[in-house]
Amino acid sequence: QQQVKQSPQSLIVQKGGISIINCAYENTAFDYFPWYQQFPGKGPALLIAIRPDVSEKKEGRFTISFNKSAKQFSLHIMDSQPGDSATYFCAASGSGNTGKLIFGQGTTLQVKP
Amino acid sequence: EPEVTQTPSHQVTQMGQEVILRCVPISNHLYFYWYRQILGQKVEFLVSFYNNEISEKSEIFDDQFSVERPDGSNFTLKIRSTKLEDSAMYFCASSENPGAAETQYFGPGTRLLVL
C-alpha cells in the first residue's frame, strides 16, 4: 500500500527525443507527487511536483501527467538533452503525515548526443 | 541559494562502531528528515523530526538509530553499533513547513561504508 512502482529502470533516448517515465501507486491517501532528479554524487533535487486536483503540470521541458482513476503519473521530458542524463525518482506523500516521501525505484536516463 | 550541507562526505567504520552523521539544514527550516539509499536502490525514509521530537520513523529506524538537534544549526543521525547492512548513502533533508506538498531540500549525502 505504501509502495510507488516506477518504470522503466533505465532509459536511453536520443538528443531531442521525448523521455517518458511512469509511476503507479496504490495508497489513495497520497496527494502530493514530486519528481526528483539526482546526478551522481549529489542528493536528489526537486524537479517538478503535482497535486491530484490537476491532470497535468508543465514547467519548461518537463511535464507531469496525472491519472487519478488509474493511480498513475508520469514524467515527460521534451527535447531531451545530454545534460538531462541523471537518475529520476518519482515519489508520493500523503496529507496529514509528516512529509515522509515514498520513493519509486528510480530510472537512469541516458540522453545520447 | 541556501542549501543543506552534510559532513563527512564519506565515512568508513568497523562493524560495531558508533557513527555520527552531521547535517546543517537550511536556516529557516523547521522540519528535518533522514533518508538512506543503499547502492543501486531507491531512497528510503528513515525519520522526520520537528520541535525536538521525532514526528515519524520507519521500521528501518530501530533502537540502533537516534537523531538529535544539539544546537540551533546541526541535525545529527547516530548509529550506535553499525552493521554491514548499514552501508549506504545517508541524505539529510529539510523543509520550511511540514507535511505533503512542501519541498524537501536534500543535502549531498554521506556515504557510509561499514567493514
Side-chain angles (χ1 to χ4, degrees), chain A residues 15-89:
Chain A
K15 179 182 174 181
I18 302 174
S19 305
I20 302 175
I21 305 170
N22 301 299
C23 284
Y25 64 97
E26 294 179 359
N27 188 345
T28 54
F30 288 151
D31 68 352
Y32 173 65
F33 302 90
W35 284 90
Y36 279 80
Q37 180 187 55
Q38 184 181 31
F39 292 105
K42 302 289 187 184
L46 180 67
L47 189 63
I48 186 173
I50 197 168
R51 298 292 297 268
D53 50 351
V54 296
S55 60
E56 185 175 283
K57 183 174 182 180
K58 185 175 181 180
E59 289 183 3
R61 296 184 294 108
F62 301 92
T63 300
I64 300 179
S65 296
F66 188 85
N67 185 330
K68 188 174 181 178
S69 60
K71 291 186 278 188
Q72 294 175 348
F73 58 109
S74 59
L75 175 69
H76 292 63
I77 306 174
M78 313 299 287
D79 187 27
S80 299
Q81 299 296 311
D84 296 331
S85 298
T87 298
Y88 293 81
F89 291 96

Side-chain angles (χ1 to χ4, degrees), chain B residues 28-109:
Chain B
N28 64 329
H29 287 187
L30 300 176
Y31 299 85
F32 314 115
Y33 311 86
W34 283 101
Y35 292 82
R36 79 171 186 191
Q37 185 179 29
I38 295 172
L39 188 63
Q41 298 187 23
K42 66 179 178 180
V43 178
E44 300 174 289
F45 170 80
L46 291 178
V47 66
S48 59
F49 188 86
Y50 167 67
N51 200 25
N52 282 320
E53 286 186 344
I54 290 175
S55 309
E56 186 172 359
K57 60 183 181 180
S58 72
E59 21 182 75
I60 303 168
F61 194 90
D62 62 22
D63 292 344
Q64 293 300 313
F65 291 87
S66 62
V67 289
E68 192 179 31
R69 187 153 164 83
D71 53 43
S73 59
N74 289 283
F75 178 50
T76 62
L77 174 69
K78 182 193 290 186
I79 309 175
R80 218 176 320 275
S81 176
T82 49
K83 307 185 190 77
L84 296 176
E85 55 265 35
D86 293 328
S87 295
M89 182 75 98
Y90 288 81
F91 293 108
C92 173
S94 69
S95 65
E96 191 171 356
N97 293 302
E102 289 296 330
T103 301
Q104 291 182 30
Y105 295 85
F106 283 72

